[in-house]
Amino acid sequence: MIIDPVKVEFKKLIDWLKRKESRDIKIRLDRLFDYVNSKQLNYHQSKFIRKLARSYKKKFGLKKKEILEELEKKIYPELGNALLVVKPKIEPKYAQIIIAEELK
């Protein structure tokens, strides 16, 4: 589940690019989205991704494969040193405490 609004907007761009494309391009687009989704974006990186997502929706005349190649050239170097997203681990002891309190 994606919570970050920048990543949601980027996902919409990827979904738009995947329409009526070959399987290879869809796989590359999914790989690009998974890469962006796995990174923890700081302020400048999120502005960069948002700017890219908004600018490519307005570009007509470019083939989707050309857009994908440009995105890959720009995104991979920019997010190369970004931290990975740390997903919180849910521990069962919290659930046990809540259940025990409700049973009282």
Side-chain angles (χ1 to χ4, degrees):
M1 186 170 180
I2 307 166
I3 298 173
D4 189 5
V6 174
K7 292 180 181 178
V8 169
E9 193 168 350
F10 188 70
K11 175 70 173 158
K12 288 179 183 177
L13 173 69
I14 295 295
D15 290 341
W16 175 72
L17 289 172
K18 284 171 45 175
R19 273 191 256 149
K20 298 182 181 178
E21 287 299 319
S22 67
R23 186 170 181 259
D24 296 333
I25 292 178
K26 287 181 181 180
I27 290 171
R28 285 175 61 192
L29 286 167
D30 284 337
R31 196 175 311 134
L32 181 65
F33 175 72
D34 290 340
Y35 181 77
V36 171
N37 197 29
S38 69
K39 297 293 184 171
Q40 183 177 357
L41 304 176
N42 63 19
Y43 177 73
H44 298 291
Q45 292 166 340
S46 63
K47 285 189 72 80
F48 172 76
I49 296 294
R50 177 173 280 159
K51 184 175 102 175
L52 282 178
R54 290 181 177 176
S55 68
Y56 281 107
K57 287 183 180 178
K58 298 174 185 172
K59 290 188 178 181
F60 296 104
L62 284 178
K63 293 182 180 178
K64 292 181 181 179
K65 186 173 183 178
E66 294 172 353
I67 293 174
L68 170 63
E69 290 171 357
E70 288 181 17
L71 284 173
E72 287 176 339
K73 286 179 186 174
K74 292 178 181 179
I75 289 176
Y76 285 128
E78 181 71 25
L79 300 182
N81 58 357
L83 300 174
L84 293 175
V85 173
V86 178
K87 296 182 181 177
K89 185 177 179 182
I90 300 173
E91 296 181 12
K93 67 179 183 180
Y94 297 119
Q96 291 173 353
I97 293 172
I98 293 170
I99 293 171
E101 291 296 322
E102 288 180 4
L103 293 176
K104 288 183 180 180

